[in-house]
Amino acid sequence: MSDIFDEIIKDHEYHRALLQRVVETHGNSMERQNVFQELKLDITAHADAEEQTFYAALLSKPDVQDQARHSIAEHKEADDLIEKLAEMDFSSPGWIAAAEELQHKMVHHMDEEEEDVFKLARRVLSENEISQLGTKFRQRKQQELASAA
């Protein structure tokens, strides 16, 4: 069984690859539409599951609440950018600029989680919590994906 950190890192690797694929697409192509839809679906399910499991646990720990709130705020920024991209004409010159902005913000967020938030979380969560949160996250993400389908 994977713990919460393994689960999140696995998703982050997938999201980094999807973000790179999105910014390499051209025009209003089927490839751009498909990769963007896949990215939107998985990042949204990931963020929702992460907030309902990992960040909910961190918000209950006074020493890390500020960092947890910061990360949740970054989820909102990414969600807003994803919605902006979804509403834009996929062939417009501004679409790729917005996609690159999303990539930049998401990579920053993922790096910050892996380098800073995880260190803080390891100090305030027990090994049992870390393990249980991995299972809860995986289950919650599957529920989010199923409800979006």
Side-chain angles (χ1 to χ4, degrees), residues 34-128:
N34 290 339
V35 175
F36 176 73
Q37 190 56 39
E38 185 177 346
L39 175 74
K40 178 181 176 185
L41 180 67
D42 206 80
I43 281 182
T44 301
H46 169 93
D48 289 347
E50 195 175 56
E51 289 174 18
Q52 294 163 18
T53 59
F54 183 58
Y55 285 113
L58 293 183
L59 286 170
S60 72
K61 312 285 185 182
D63 292 348
V64 295
Q65 285 178 347
D66 288 344
Q67 183 62 51
R69 285 187 188 107
H70 171 76
S71 293
I72 292 168
E74 288 183 342
H75 284 179
K76 174 70 172 112
E77 288 176 24
D79 189 50
D80 290 346
L81 266 172
I82 288 168
E83 286 307 311
K84 176 182 172 182
L85 282 162
E87 293 169 4
M88 290 176 75
D89 178 349
F90 278 37
S91 61
S92 77
W95 196 92
I96 202 68
E100 288 170 343
E101 180 183 1
L102 175 65
Q103 180 184 34
H104 174 77
K105 286 182 182 283
M106 287 300 307
V107 168
H108 162 79
H109 171 75
M110 292 182 286
D111 290 348
E112 189 173 72
E113 273 185 346
E114 293 169 11
E115 295 165 14
D116 300 333
V117 178
F118 286 8
K119 285 179 191 164
L120 295 172
R122 287 184 197 282
R123 290 199 299 236
V124 299
L125 298 173
S126 69
E127 285 301 318
N128 189 41

Side-chain angles (χ1 to χ4, degrees), residues 16-32:
R16 284 181 178 99
L18 283 176
L19 286 159
Q20 188 59 40
R21 284 178 55 202
V22 163
V23 300
E24 291 173 354
T25 62
H26 301 284
N28 191 11
S29 64
M30 189 58 74
E31 179 188 16
R32 178 173 282 180

Side-chain angles (χ1 to χ4, degrees), residues 1-12 46-58 113-114 117-119 121-122 125-141:
M1 286 278 164
S2 299
D3 68 25
I4 188 63
F5 305 117
D6 294 335
E7 290 293 329
I8 292 172
I9 288 171
K10 180 175 64 175
D11 276 5
H12 284 180
H46 169 93
D48 289 347
E50 195 175 56
E51 289 174 18
Q52 294 163 18
T53 59
F54 183 58
Y55 285 113
L58 293 183
E113 273 185 346
E114 293 169 11
V117 178
F118 286 8
K119 285 179 191 164
R122 287 184 197 282
L125 298 173
S126 69
E127 285 301 318
N128 189 41
E129 287 173 304
I130 290 168
S131 177
Q132 288 180 350
L133 285 170
T135 301
K136 288 179 182 177
F137 171 84
R138 188 172 43 260
Q139 291 170 344
R140 187 67 205 162
K141 184 175 175 201

